[in-house]
Amino acid sequence: MGRSSKNTSSIASFALIGWAAAALIQRDTDISPQTTLNVDVCVIGGGAAGTYSAIKSKDLNKTVVVVEQQDRLGGHTKTFVDPGSNRSIELGVGELEDTPIVREWFARFKIPLYQYNFTIPGVTSEYVDFQTGQIATPKQGDLLGAWDAFQMQVAKYPFLDYSLNSVPFPVPADLLLPFGQFITKYNLQDAVPYLSLYAQGWGNFVTLPTLLAIKYFPPSFFSPTSLYSGGPGALAAKDNSLIYEKATKELGPNALLSSTVLSMDRSAADLVKITVQTPSGKKLICAKKLISAIPPLIDNLKGFDLNETEVPIFNKFQGHSWYVGLVNSSGVPDNVTLINYGTNNTKNFNLPVLPGVYDIFATMVPGLHYFLFGGNDSQPNFTQPQVETSLQDTLTRLRAKGSISGSSGATKALSIIDFSSHTPYEVFVSSDQIAKGFYNKLFALQGQRNTYWTGAAFVTHSSAAIWNYTDQLVTKMWSEGPGTTTL
């Protein structure tokens, strides 16, 4: 799927008819009163935004039910606990910004936080071109100077510290540039190696609209207390999934895991009906309000009774793919992290060539490494076997060129211990759509049809930012009557 978006009335009408038909297929006549849940709010999605929405509403004395298609809450937070050492390895959200909302959220569940350590004692990083298998020598540039220049550019846009609803209209022209052009315009090339560490899962991020790229780096990112400005650092729990495990326990039977939305009816003035397929059968949820906390791609909203206003908005969204796996028998020494450097990818600042493996990281557990894999803009989705094959091919090239130090060069049987799909990731729209006021239209949906929307697509891929926005949204939602919530 490329970046061009089709926007014709015929497509919108076709999609609308399809969603209306899906909503009509499922009826609630075959659902008994025993399987009907009457609550104040139904939350679709149990990731960072959805779990926070549910617990925040519960703390405001509202009854709540969460519908989550996975068998756990947590979304992009996924933790592997090694049974031998009891050490945790994060296969998703690793560090958290040190902000009041983060500290308050973990304190709510009595989970201690610690300073996050980005390094492992004794581990060194080696740069290798994963395409050729050869050891790479990165260009030595003025990282600090470029980083200062980048900070100066970001400071022009204080609204980046808030939701995408705060973007002015018309949108500043520089924010509509492909990020690669923005980098070149302001001579920020030497900052790309550092920026790219945060852009994994963003596809070919130099083609992303600059607004969405630098939204991850708002002015607060450079505050004196921020880790990135030499401040005290980021935070993490011993196991970042603990907060979702405790939330699951607190929600009890009202956390509907491994469940999907079959149909929805939001036509009433003060009631939303959602028919859900759960492992134990169908349930009918009757709620006063609905919060959608899933990536708002049109394919993700099957079962929603989208109307003629919503479909033309949500069908503009596209997504990227990102996968994380934990492996042993890789042949990579325990004390080595491999960084992929695209030696020949000069047009894209020597970034890794995608689709492919970004990096292979050492862990605190001997024998285990975790790897990150991303798709490109034209091929956004991959199966686990496809990702595993790419990783195996990468390791074979590294061995053939002798780039894995300390290895015998013999091919070893790769073993995937854990695998997580974080797809869709970094949901985005084109610069053309942003220029036409897309986000004004998107946020105008808040409160319409008793429905509220939250998640990374409305802020950025930062747990702290998502929780902060969701906290304000839910608070305002319960303090206002029916209608539009401007936030």
Side-chain angles (χ1 to χ4, degrees), residues 26 58 98 122 130 144 184 189 214 232 287 293 307 310 327 357 391 400 402-403 436 441 443:
Q26 302 293 335
K58 185 175 180 294
D98 189 351
F130 285 10
L144 293 179
T184 301
Q189 293 90 332
I214 70 171
N307 65 15
E310 296 166 329
V327 298
V357 179
L391 174 64
S403 296
K436 292 177 179 177
K441 299 171 188 175
F443 282 87

Side-chain angles (χ1 to χ4, degrees), residues 123-141 143 190-197 200 332 335-343 349-352 357-361 394 397-398 401-405:
V123 171
T124 59
S125 296
E126 297 182 2
Y127 288 87
V128 183
D129 187 329
F130 285 10
Q131 272 207 318
T132 66
Q134 295 179 323
I135 293 174
T137 303
K139 297 176 181 178
Q140 297 300 313
L143 172 59
D190 291 342
V192 170
Y194 190 67
L195 292 170
S196 67
L197 294 176
Q200 295 182 348
V332 182
N335 65 339
V336 170
T337 284
L338 297 179
I339 306 298
N340 187 1
Y341 183 82
T343 303
F349 311 103
N350 300 110
L351 293 167
V357 179
Y358 283 111
D359 304 305
I360 302 173
F361 290 93
T394 296
R397 288 191 293 271
L398 297 179
K401 297 295 184 180
S403 296
I404 300 180
S405 60

Side-chain angles (χ1 to χ4, degrees), residues 235-437:
L235 300 173
K238 293 295 186 183
D239 177 341
N240 285 341
S241 293
L242 283 176
I243 199 164
Y244 296 101
E245 293 171 8
K246 291 198 172 189
T248 303
K249 184 176 181 180
E250 184 168 326
L251 292 168
N254 278 19
L256 304 182
L257 305 180
S258 302
S259 301
T260 55
V261 174
L262 295 176
S263 66
M264 190 179 293
D265 182 358
R266 293 178 290 158
S267 60
D270 56 357
L271 183 68
V272 177
K273 291 184 177 181
I274 309 102
T275 304
V276 177
Q277 182 67 56
T278 76
S280 61
K282 294 180 184 178
K283 292 184 184 294
L284 175 64
I285 302 169
C286 297
K288 297 175 184 176
K289 297 180 186 292
L290 175 76
I291 297 176
S292 177
I294 60 178
L297 292 164
I298 201 78
D299 286 345
N300 264 12
L301 301 175
K302 290 179 179 177
F304 281 60
D305 59 336
L306 301 180
N307 65 15
E308 67 280 358
T309 300
E310 296 166 329
V311 168
I313 294 174
F314 293 124
N315 70 9
K316 301 298 187 305
F317 274 119
Q318 302 175 64
H320 293 116
S321 58
W322 185 44
Y323 306 87
V324 182
L326 186 67
V327 298
N328 63 12
S329 301
S330 66
V332 182
D334 290 342
N335 65 339
V336 170
T337 284
L338 297 179
I339 306 298
N340 187 1
Y341 183 82
T343 303
N344 298 320
N345 193 20
T346 54
K347 68 176 182 179
N348 287 324
F349 311 103
N350 300 110
L351 293 167
V353 176
L354 301 177
V357 179
Y358 283 111
D359 304 305
I360 302 173
F361 290 93
T363 72
M364 295 288 287
V365 180
L368 297 184
H369 284 74
Y370 72 91
F371 69 93
L372 310 177
F373 178 97
N376 58 18
D377 297 341
S378 61
Q379 189 177 359
N381 297 308
F382 294 82
T383 64
Q384 180 173 342
Q386 288 175 318
V387 174
E388 291 180 11
T389 297
S390 178
L391 174 64
Q392 183 66 76
D393 290 346
T394 296
L395 292 171
T396 299
R397 288 191 293 271
L398 297 179
R399 293 189 188 100
K401 297 295 184 180
S403 296
I404 300 180
S405 60
S407 69
S408 63
T411 301
K412 299 186 178 183
L414 190 68
S415 177
I416 304 292
I417 305 300
D418 205 323
F419 183 84
S420 298
S421 172
H422 296 271
T423 304
Y425 195 77
E426 185 57 32
V427 171
F428 69 99
V429 295
S430 68
S431 291
D432 180 61
Q433 289 300 322
I434 296 172
K436 292 177 179 177

